[in-house]
């Protein structure tokens, strides 16, 4: 039976943070940082499916979802800032050890958390979260162009993506019709309702700009994988304009023992391939991060 998903709030250094939680309090923890333009809502089904054996925790990052939006003077809306936020979040919740689900922008935040305390990472599940620039897909072209030569026109083009149409394209843009109708319009409708009010659109544009700074961190993330070799499961939707299958295979350069599964889905594979991911995650976590598993 599906586990109950509970909806909670916690203050993180004065910021009111909303998070979803499922599973027994003493079960091994799986942390679920979300991607753009979503929130913890993206993990609702995965949490219900795995909550019988694991404690799953998915926060809404500040400026997203149901969490507060502190003044930019008081919160660092950058990838590095969100990485620091995650570290404070797990410390305040008293989570000494966890697996991390790495997806989309959440992979960048999650890797920063992992590198800040490698001994606390029990395992990684990587799902369409890239750290290999040479394998970027064609959908990165507008971002790469803007990063290399920022112009008002380029910024305006990026701003056009912060819209209900732009969000819809994020969720189903590359999916074939036979898969697109599996993706609920609740995703982009809720995301737009949550992100359309100022100052959130401007914060999102700032995050687009700051993403250029993550490229220099890719080598550190790759080094982290080679040095610490966390048990890693890679589950990857094939139909992804940002992160094609080659971006998944690239992880094997640094983690040749990682388990790789390419799925007939897209960037938001939890919507199109939930049962497959649940099956693979249960098997993987059961071996690497459960009460009966050998500590890695």
């Amino acid at each position: 039976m599906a586990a109950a998903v509970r909806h909670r709030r916690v203050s993180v250094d004065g910021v009111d943070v909303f998070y979803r939680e499922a599973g027994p309090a003493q079960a091994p923890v799986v942390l679920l940082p979300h991607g753009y333009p979503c929130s913890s809502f993206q993990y609702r089904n995965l949490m219900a499916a795995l909550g019988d054996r694991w404690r799953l925790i998915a926060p809404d990052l500040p400026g997203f979802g149901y969490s507060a939006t502190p003044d930019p003077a008081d919160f660092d809306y950058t990838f590095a800032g969100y990485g620091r936020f995650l570290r404070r979040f797990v410390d305040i919740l008293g989570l000494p050890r966890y697996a991390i689900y790495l997806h989309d922008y959440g992979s960048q935040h999650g890797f920063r958390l992992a590198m800040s305390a490698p001994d606390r990472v029990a395992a990684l599940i990587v799902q369409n979260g890239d750290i290999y620039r040479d394998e970027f897909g064609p959908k990165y072209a507008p971002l790469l162009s803007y990063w290399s030569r920022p112009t008002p026109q380029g910024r305006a083009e990026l701003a056009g993506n912060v819209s209900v149409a732009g969000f819809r394209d994020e969720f189903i843009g590359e999916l074939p019709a036979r898969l697109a109708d599996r993706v609920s319009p609740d995703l982009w409708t809720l995301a737009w309702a949550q992100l359309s009010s100022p100052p959130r659109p401007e914060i999102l544009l700032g995050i687009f700009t700051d993403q250029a700074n993550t490229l220099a961190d890719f080598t550190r993330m790759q080094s982290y994988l080679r040095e610490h070799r966390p048990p890693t499961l890679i589950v990857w939707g094939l139909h992804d304009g940002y992160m094609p299958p080659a971006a998944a295979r690239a992880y094997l350069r640094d983690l040749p023992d990682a388990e790789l599964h390419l799925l007939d889905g897209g960037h938001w594979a939890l919507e199109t391939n939930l049962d497959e991911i649940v099956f693979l995650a249960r098997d993987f976590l059961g071996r690497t991060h459960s009460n009966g598993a050998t500590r890695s």
Side-chain angles (χ1 to χ4, degrees):
M1 295 181 63
V5 178
R6 299 174 293 279
H7 306 87
R8 295 178 166 164
R9 310 193 81 94
V10 65
S11 177
V12 178
D13 298 332
V15 179
D16 181 42
V17 174
F18 172 89
Y19 67 101
R20 301 173 199 258
E21 180 173 0
Q26 301 305 315
V29 172
V30 181
L31 186 69
L32 305 160
H34 65 79
Y36 166 88
C38 211
S39 65
S40 60
F41 183 72
Q42 76 176 79
Y43 292 117
R44 66 204 182 281
N45 296 322
L46 182 69
M47 297 175 77
L50 297 180
D52 60 327
R53 290 186 60 188
W54 292 274
R55 181 185 176 194
L56 299 108
I57 299 175
D60 285 355
L61 299 173
F64 287 83
Y66 297 117
S67 286
T69 306
D71 190 291
D74 301 318
F75 186 84
D76 184 10
Y77 290 103
T78 65
F79 285 83
Y82 279 126
R84 289 190 292 270
F85 162 81
L86 279 183
R87 178 61 187 270
R88 292 292 296 139
F89 178 78
V90 299
D91 286 348
I92 287 170
L93 262 61
L95 309 178
R97 190 164 173 81
Y98 33 76
I100 311 175
Y101 195 103
L102 302 171
H103 173 254
D104 191 79
Y105 280 1
S107 64
Q108 297 297 313
H109 315 324
F111 267 118
R112 285 169 171 78
L113 172 65
M115 292 188 296
S116 75
D119 58 312
R120 295 167 69 169
V121 178
L124 302 175
I125 298 177
V126 185
Q127 190 252 295
N128 295 75
D130 55 347
I131 60 170
Y132 297 90
R133 180 175 180 172
D134 60 313
E135 300 298 353
F136 278 1
K139 206 167 182 177
Y140 264 112
L143 285 166
L144 290 168
S145 176
Y146 180 76
W147 296 338
S148 65
R149 186 172 176 270
T151 64
Q153 179 183 356
R155 186 176 178 85
E157 290 176 0
L158 293 180
N161 293 318
V162 184
S163 64
V164 67
F167 289 178
R168 182 180 183 275
D169 183 67
E170 292 290 335
F171 287 109
I172 62 172
E174 294 81 41
L175 283 177
R178 59 185 172 79
L179 296 174
D181 63 4
R182 299 185 192 180
V183 182
S184 172
D186 295 334
L187 284 161
W188 58 86
T189 304
L190 177 60
W192 179 241
Q194 292 176 328
L195 295 172
S196 58
S197 298
R200 288 187 169 189
E202 194 64 26
I203 288 171
L204 294 179
L205 283 175
I207 293 171
F208 291 162
T209 300
D210 181 63
Q211 190 182 359
N213 296 321
T214 68
L215 304 183
D217 292 327
F218 283 180
T219 55
R220 290 199 308 118
M221 296 173 186
Q222 295 159 15
S223 295
Y224 159 79
L225 293 176
R226 290 193 301 273
E227 179 181 352
H228 296 282
R229 305 185 70 82
T232 299
L233 170 68
I234 304 167
V235 286
W236 207 273
L238 294 171
H239 309 287
D240 188 337
Y242 288 110
M243 306 168 196
R249 297 188 185 98
Y251 276 92
L252 301 181
R253 304 173 191 171
D254 300 302
L255 284 177
D257 296 329
E259 303 175 33
L260 171 62
H261 300 268
L262 301 177
L263 309 177
D264 185 22
H267 187 77
W268 300 88
L270 287 175
E271 299 301 315
T272 56
N273 302 79
L274 177 68
D275 288 348
E276 293 170 90
I277 293 176
V278 167
F279 175 82
L280 294 167
R282 291 184 73 87
D283 173 67
F284 172 73
L285 292 171
R287 290 181 279 110
T288 62
H289 186 46
S290 71
N291 287 331
T294 302
R295 188 181 177 94
S296 61

